[in-house]
Amino acid sequence: MPAATYAVSGMSCGHCKATLTKAIGELDGVSGVEVDLGSGHVTVTVTGAAEPDDGVIAEVVDEAGYELTGRV
């Protein structure tokens, strides 16, 4: 399954991890979300042949109160 890893700023605790995991995980086609607080990275896995939509992921991250700064 296709996956993409993003750099996200503003994450610092378990609540941040839970918030992003839930928000991104609710998107259509997302089959997995892995948040690494130490590195500030979020890996999103999707079903199907297409890669995650960077714009949609960035919007959800922003709405959750964090900032997606790019792909890793």
Side-chain angles (χ1 to χ4, degrees), residues 4-31:
T5 301
Y6 302 94
V8 177
S9 63
M11 303 184 303
S12 62
C13 64
H15 175 74
C16 300
K17 182 175 181 173
T19 298
L20 284 174
T21 300
K22 182 175 190 274
I24 297 169
E26 290 177 345
L27 292 172
D28 287 340
V30 172
S31 62

Side-chain angles (χ1 to χ4, degrees), residues 8-11 16 19-20 58-68:
V8 177
S9 63
M11 303 184 303
C16 300
T19 298
L20 284 174
E59 184 177 322
V60 169
V61 169
D62 185 58
E63 287 175 2
Y66 307 94
E67 181 183 2
L68 189 148

Side-chain angles (χ1 to χ4, degrees), residues 1 13-14 57:
M1 287 186 272
C13 64
I57 302 292

Side-chain angles (χ1 to χ4, degrees), residues 28-51:
D28 287 340
V30 172
S31 62
V33 179
E34 183 180 324
V35 178
D36 184 337
L37 294 174
S39 67
H41 294 164
V42 177
T43 301
V44 179
T45 306
V46 296
T47 57
E51 292 212 356

